[in-house]
Amino acid sequence: MKKKFTLEIASPCSENFDKMIPNSSGSFCDSCMKNVIDLSGKTNSEVARFVAEIKDKNICARLKVTQLEEEFQYNETSRINNFKYAAVAASVLITSNIAAQEKTPVKTEIACTKPNSYTLGKVAYSQVAEKEILITIKGKLLEAKTNRPLNKETYPNLNLTINGSQNAVKINPDTGDFSIVAQVLESSKTFMVTITGSDYYLSKEIAFTKKAVKGSKLNQNIIIAAEELTKIYIAGGLGINYNGK
């Protein structure tokens, strides 16, 4: 019988998961003296298998926020049925192996046919690649309402990349300062900034003017609303809501 369920965390925990003591299944929280199981990197089938095994035990877990929108399912079967299935499967396997040994290979002839011929034409086109330039962007990451750095307790370990640069730079948690070398198109009037933290994420297009670039350097603050940051992870007591009977 298939059991379908959704997950919930009714009272999210405010503790920083990154400061907990890591172990094989997640991390140990000193505040509540409990192990927090990390399910954020698990597939749906792995989460379903985990829920089937814990038998509704009271546990703390860490999830991606998107996992709270998922519906999971697993097959609930008895051990007797499992044994019956295994016995039938073994019987079918033995029978099929004997039948395969008794069969005489049948020779087949494959007639080769000449493939159809097609005349390919040539298409001429002109493509001009846009020139890319390297600029150093310096500024502060500020919250729109306060015009101050984001709260470092609420938004810890913030990093920033621009236009998909491989090397992220750490944002100063006290001042909001950052400095990063970015590759932009010479004709571009915007760049894409990506901000990541322990539990948050934001990707946003920021406008700038070429006149503001002086000697391959651009001084520009990045101002965002705190509400724009998307919550990635959530932790707390795991609730399991079964759907149907």
Side-chain angles (χ1 to χ4, degrees):
M1 182 180 74
K2 289 184 178 181
K3 297 199 74 172
K4 296 182 179 180
F5 64 92
T6 56
L7 301 176
E8 71 168 357
I9 292 182
S11 301
C13 174
S14 60
E15 295 297 321
N16 188 343
F17 185 81
D18 292 333
K19 292 183 179 179
M20 298 180 189
I21 303 170
N23 55 41
S24 59
S25 59
S27 291
F28 184 77
C29 178
D30 283 333
S31 297
C32 60
M33 302 302 290
K34 292 183 70 174
N35 197 39
V36 181
I37 308 299
D38 190 1
L39 299 178
S40 62
K42 303 292 186 184
T43 63
N44 283 15
S45 59
E46 288 172 333
V47 171
R49 192 181 308 119
F50 171 79
V51 169
E53 291 172 354
I54 63 173
K55 303 298 182 184
D56 298 334
K57 290 180 182 177
N58 182 20
I59 66 167
C60 281
R62 184 194 193 217
L63 303 168
K64 283 184 178 177
V65 171
T66 52
Q67 288 175 299
L68 301 178
E69 302 167 0
E70 297 281 344
E71 183 179 65
F72 304 86
Q73 71 175 29
Y74 65 88
N75 290 323
E76 188 177 50
T77 56
S78 66
R79 293 186 63 187
I80 295 176
N81 287 339
N82 285 339
F83 285 134
K84 286 181 179 179
Y85 174 79
V88 171
S91 175
V92 171
L93 179 62
I94 292 170
T95 303
S96 61
N97 284 342
I98 293 173
Q101 291 173 7
E102 292 177 350
K103 286 184 178 179
T104 302
V106 178
K107 294 183 179 180
T108 58
E109 293 183 1
I110 301 175
C112 295
T113 58
K114 187 177 180 180
N116 294 330
S117 298
Y118 298 93
T119 302
L120 300 178
K122 292 183 178 180
V123 178
Y125 63 94
S126 175
Q127 183 176 10
V128 179
E130 286 195 73
K131 185 179 179 182
E132 292 184 329
I133 58 174
L134 285 176
I135 62 174
T136 300
I137 303 174
K138 290 185 176 181
K140 295 177 183 288
L141 177 67
L142 302 174
E143 206 281 320
K145 291 180 181 178
T146 63
N147 204 37
R148 295 175 60 83
L150 290 142
N151 186 302
K152 62 182 180 182
E153 299 298 331
T154 306
Y155 308 101
N157 305 320
L158 291 181
N159 294 284
L160 177 146
T161 61
I162 288 178
N163 288 349
S165 55
Q166 293 183 352
N167 297 322
V169 297
K170 186 175 178 62
I171 297 169
N172 188 305
D174 297 311
T175 65
D177 282 303
F178 68 88
S179 176
I180 185 171
V181 177
Q183 201 166 27
V184 299
L185 294 175
E186 192 174 34
S187 61
S188 181
K189 296 180 181 179
T190 63
F191 58 80
M192 186 64 68
V193 60
T194 301
I195 300 165
T196 58
S198 298
D199 298 312
Y200 291 90
Y201 171 88
L202 172 65
S203 185
K204 183 176 183 178
E205 194 173 33
I206 304 294
F208 74 99
T209 62
K210 287 186 66 176
K211 291 182 179 180
V213 180
K214 306 294 183 182
S216 298
K217 292 183 179 179
L218 172 65
N219 291 316
Q220 178 163 334
N221 292 337
I222 295 176
I223 301 174
I224 64 170
E227 302 81 48
E228 293 181 273
L229 289 162
T230 301
K231 185 81 171 172
I232 302 174
Y233 300 106
I234 187 169
L238 184 66
I240 303 169
N241 301 316
Y242 291 101
N243 302 331
K245 295 182 180 180

